[in-house]
Amino acid sequence: MGKLPMLLLTAVVAVVFGFLGSFGAVAVYGENLKGTQGETGLQGPPGEKGERGTDGAPGEDGKPGRPGRPGKPGKDAKAPEPRTYDLGTTGCAGRAMEVVTDVTLVRQEVRVSKKTVCVTE
């Protein structure tokens, strides 16, 4: 080994053992390093001790205020148009539509069941 690596190794060993030595000293002599607890603050003077006074009488109600401004008149609600729908398959007077009613999967094959439904408005 050369001079520089040996010097670095010596410095590292000294630092490591220095930290370990300081931790060991604190662990062994920790109780001796603690001092007594000092005062935490000054205590204020005690308050005056007196008797509790009597409760006062309730106050009178004030005069009523002015009424507020009237609001804007409301608008009439729009009633929706009544619609009737007739769903069926016989006697279709409206529009016939084909609707999917069932889907099954058999051996990686999709089977779709459809039914014709009449929708009239």
Side-chain angles (χ1 to χ4, degrees), residues 13-31 33:
V13 168
V15 167
V16 168
F17 282 118
F19 282 127
L20 290 177
S22 63
F23 287 132
V26 169
V28 172
Y29 298 109
E31 292 296 321
L33 296 175

Side-chain angles (χ1 to χ4, degrees), residues 2-55:
K3 289 184 180 182
L4 186 61
M6 191 62 152
L7 182 62
L8 287 174
L9 179 66
T10 304
V12 168
V13 168
V15 167
V16 168
F17 282 118
F19 282 127
L20 290 177
S22 63
F23 287 132
V26 169
V28 172
Y29 298 109
E31 292 296 321
N32 294 337
L33 296 175
K34 289 184 182 178
T36 58
Q37 178 67 36
E39 291 186 27
T40 57
L42 300 175
Q43 185 175 1
E48 294 181 14
K49 190 171 186 178
E51 294 183 21
R52 184 169 183 253
T54 58
D55 290 337

